[in-house]
Amino acid sequence: NLTQYESITEEDKIIIKSFLKAKKYDEIANELNKSTPYIKKRAKFIFDTFEVPDLISFLSTYRRYDILFTKEDVMNYNKKVTQKI
């Protein structure tokens, strides 16, 4: 649930979504009109926030989970879970 991480910006969320879609740093940089070193710096911040050392660890840890990016995502997920009960 990314909504509980106040330090994660909307741009960081886009970067995270891009990682989960297997996009490369250069591709993300082009899409966001940023430099590749900037994306790598934000990625390091993201990895530090989630206490993983690198992209491989991030993906192996979080790829299998439903990542909730917004409060609306959280509400929809809770509805889905409640309906299964």
Side-chain angles (χ1 to χ4, degrees):
N1 178 359
L2 294 182
T3 61
Q4 66 187 353
Y5 293 94
E6 292 179 13
S7 60
I8 297 291
T9 66
E10 290 304 312
E11 186 176 70
D12 292 338
K13 292 176 185 179
I14 293 168
I15 293 169
I16 291 168
K17 287 178 184 179
S18 297
F19 286 152
L20 295 172
K21 293 178 181 176
K23 292 184 179 181
K24 299 186 183 310
Y25 289 102
D26 291 343
E27 186 178 359
I28 298 167
N30 286 334
E31 289 177 359
L32 295 178
N33 199 27
K34 303 285 184 180
S35 69
T36 300
Y38 174 82
I39 298 301
K40 288 182 178 182
K41 181 179 175 184
R42 292 310 302 166
K44 170 107 174 70
F45 172 78
I46 292 166
F47 304 150
D48 289 346
T49 300
F50 288 95
E51 300 178 355
V52 295
D54 54 32
L55 179 57
I56 300 298
S57 298
F58 178 81
L59 292 174
S60 65
T61 303
Y62 293 102
R63 183 181 292 158
R64 61 183 167 249
Y65 294 104
D66 290 327
I67 297 183
L68 309 174
F69 292 92
T70 65
K71 290 180 182 179
E72 184 179 335
D73 291 342
V74 173
M75 289 174 29
N76 289 335
Y77 180 80
N78 288 339
K79 284 180 188 176
K80 186 171 78 171
V81 169
T82 304
Q83 289 173 351
K84 288 182 179 180
I85 296 177

